[in-house]
Amino acid sequence: MGSRRREYFGDVFRAATASERHRFVADVWAARGWETTLEDSLVVARRATQTQRIAVVTGSRFGLRPTIPADADVVVALTPLSAPSARVISLDELYELVRYGLPAADGDRLVETHFGVSLDDVPASSSVHVPRADSTRSVLVVVAVVALLVVAIVATAGVPGVAPRFGGEPESDQSTATATPAPTPTPEPRVVAPGVTTDGIENASVLAAAHRNVVANESYQWTIGYRESIAGDETGREVEVVRVEEPHVYTSEVQHVSWSGLRAFPRPTASEDSYADGAFRYARRPAEPDGVAVRVLDPEVLDGPGRHAIRAERYIDWYLSTEQSRVADSAVVDGVVVYRIEGSGTDFPRSRDYAFTAFVEESGFVRSMQASYETRDGLGVTVWFEYDSVGTTTVEAPSWAESGNQTSGNRVTPAG
């Protein structure tokens, strides 16, 4: 069904007029957050400081190479071609952009609005009828068919044993050979984010590294949650709120909500509140004389992406490494395509009924994630995190860190 829908889309797009194809491409880019206009033979798409000039090229005729506008940055090609100075998008890639790069309802609506057909109503036969036809092409086909029939009748007239029938086959032999159609090749998965294709997460480590690189250069608030339950009833919860202004300027506050005590360890949430001012890290420890321990930050860590960027990389690699995953949906949020990815089936951490949902941007930034599973002794676990206030977060020293810094805090240099 998927291959027939793809072929149907290609036939419908080819049968459309040039202006219909240009208007459709303009609306596809607009649905992805671009502002689009039609200028001469190009679709001009603008977003922030970016501008793309998109040409729709029908292909060659009579062996001549199609003309590609010199100022085109992107070429939507109805037939295979090369354009060294522009990015070429094939009909298969345009179909994937409509089907997977937009919310399913939006892509279907665009096709139905512009072409009057629905991709969900693909004819069952391999011969796809489209509601439009190129009149010139139809006339040429009819003339060619008539000419072939005349030639066949003349060629077989008067030949012994051959009746003047269409095709010139003998009267006594009614059998015909049935041609077996060549199978439609399955399209290769298309990359939608680092480590992620239209088939799902191919490499969680690559996705985790891309996420680390994004957050290492942003300020943000990161909320991490951990929940335990038995037979569906919550028995305990921890929530950690991290605010990062720079990779080594941050605060972390842990809120414990527990009725019978949390059982699993280690957990993704931190074990202590902390604050870092870019030179030192302060940990809130009631057992210390003044309640605060001060650690000198390792210079190698200080030159790196930051403590919490490394934590996020580790969690994404852990929780999104599953046996099965798929891109369930997508949406354009603030001009950025966000993919909803669902996964299941993993032995981490010695669990059953493992499942996750993650929202991932094209850059590899994982906006939010939730994983749930049940341990072998019947403990239900849910882990989640989400980012907000990206690019606008600032950090102030908490009162406990200021008081501890003014007194004789216990300064510890970590081994190694």
Side-chain angles (χ1 to χ4, degrees):
M1 181 64 178
S3 61
R4 290 203 301 272
R5 183 184 288 115
R6 182 185 299 271
E7 293 171 3
Y8 188 53
F9 173 81
D11 290 339
V12 168
F13 191 80
R14 290 188 189 94
T17 65
S19 61
E20 288 172 333
R21 288 192 288 258
H22 278 87
R23 287 195 296 269
F24 176 75
V25 169
D27 281 358
V28 170
W29 258 252
R32 301 181 71 241
W34 296 76
E35 294 183 1
T36 59
T37 57
L38 296 176
E39 300 179 10
D40 297 327
S41 61
L42 295 175
V43 176
V44 180
R46 297 179 176 88
R47 183 170 67 186
T49 59
Q50 294 179 289
T51 299
Q52 290 187 354
R53 293 173 174 81
I54 308 159
V56 181
V57 177
T58 58
S60 60
R61 290 194 178 191
F62 309 112
L64 299 178
R65 177 179 175 82
T67 301
I68 300 174
D71 53 347
D73 307 307
V74 179
V75 176
V76 177
L78 276 67
T79 58
L81 60 81
S82 60
S85 61
R87 174 193 172 195
V88 178
I89 296 179
S90 66
L91 273 187
D92 278 350
E93 291 172 319
L94 181 63
Y95 169 81
E96 291 173 354
L97 191 63
V98 173
R99 197 69 181 172
Y100 305 114
L102 299 174
D106 291 354
D108 291 342
R109 176 179 52 78
L110 283 176
V111 173
E112 189 166 1
T113 299
H114 284 270
F115 305 129
V117 299
S118 172
L119 293 180
D120 291 327
D121 298 330
V122 179
S125 65
S126 59
S127 178
V128 178
H129 171 74
V130 296
R132 294 172 175 80
D134 188 312
S135 58
T136 303
R137 184 185 306 170
S138 300
V139 172
L140 291 176
V141 170
V142 171
V143 172
V145 171
V146 171
L148 288 174
L149 291 176
V150 172
V151 170
I153 293 173
V154 172
T156 57
V159 177
V162 178
R165 305 174 62 210
F166 293 157
E169 63 269 29
E171 180 72 31
S172 59
D173 187 5
Q174 301 295 331
S175 63
T176 57
T178 303
T180 302
T184 303
T186 302
E188 292 293 326
R190 179 173 58 87
V191 175
V192 296
V196 183
T197 71
T198 48
D199 283 351
I201 296 180
E202 299 288 341
N203 192 323
S205 298
V206 172
L207 175 61
H211 176 88
R212 177 203 64 208
N213 293 336
V214 172
V215 298
N217 297 297
E218 290 284 2
S219 64
Y220 54 86
Q221 179 171 301
W222 185 33
T223 303
I224 312 162
Y226 174 85
R227 175 183 180 269
E228 291 182 356
S229 62
I230 297 178
D233 295 329
E234 183 173 306
T235 58
R237 175 192 300 249
E238 277 185 346
V239 176
E240 179 186 2
V241 178
V242 178
R243 294 179 177 84
V244 176
E245 182 175 336
E246 297 177 8
H248 312 287
V249 178
Y250 59 81
T251 61
S252 169
E253 180 181 0
V254 184
Q255 304 168 359
H256 303 272
V257 181
S258 179
W259 290 270
S260 60
L262 296 172
R263 295 164 50 182
F265 189 84
R267 296 186 290 272
T269 45
S271 59
E272 59 188 16
D273 293 352
S274 61
Y275 162 66
D277 60 7
F280 300 103
R281 178 178 184 272
Y282 304 84
R284 189 176 190 181
R285 296 183 177 177
E288 299 291 342
D290 56 4
V292 178
V294 181
R295 295 175 177 176
V296 177
L297 292 181
D298 187 338
E300 293 183 3
V301 175
L302 192 60
D303 293 336
R307 179 187 186 93
H308 296 293
I310 294 174
R311 287 179 66 195
E313 178 185 21
R314 183 166 62 248
Y315 297 162
I316 291 171
D317 202 7
W318 282 356
Y319 293 113
L320 304 191
S321 294
T322 58
E323 297 171 359
Q324 298 178 349
S325 63
R326 67 188 186 97
V327 176
D329 202 356
S330 63
V332 178
V333 182
D334 299 329
V336 178
V337 179
V338 181
Y339 297 91
R340 175 188 172 95
I341 303 175
E342 298 175 351
S344 61
T346 180
D347 57 1
F348 170 83
R350 298 183 300 280
S351 62
R352 57 194 176 196
D353 298 331
Y354 189 97
F356 80 78
T357 300
F359 291 87
V360 181
E361 293 185 3
E362 294 174 303
S363 64
F365 176 52
V366 182
R367 288 193 173 200
S368 63
M369 180 278 301
Q370 177 173 305
S372 61
Y373 56 91
E374 185 177 290
T375 63
R376 294 180 180 177
D377 59 355
L379 180 67
V381 174
T382 301
V383 176
W384 72 93
F385 70 65
E386 62 180 355
Y387 287 82
D388 53 42
S389 301
V390 176
T392 61
T393 299
T394 57
V395 169
E396 295 182 1
S399 58
W400 60 263
E402 291 179 346
S403 62
N405 193 27
Q406 292 171 359
T407 59
S408 57
N410 182 20
R411 180 169 297 178
V412 180
T413 302

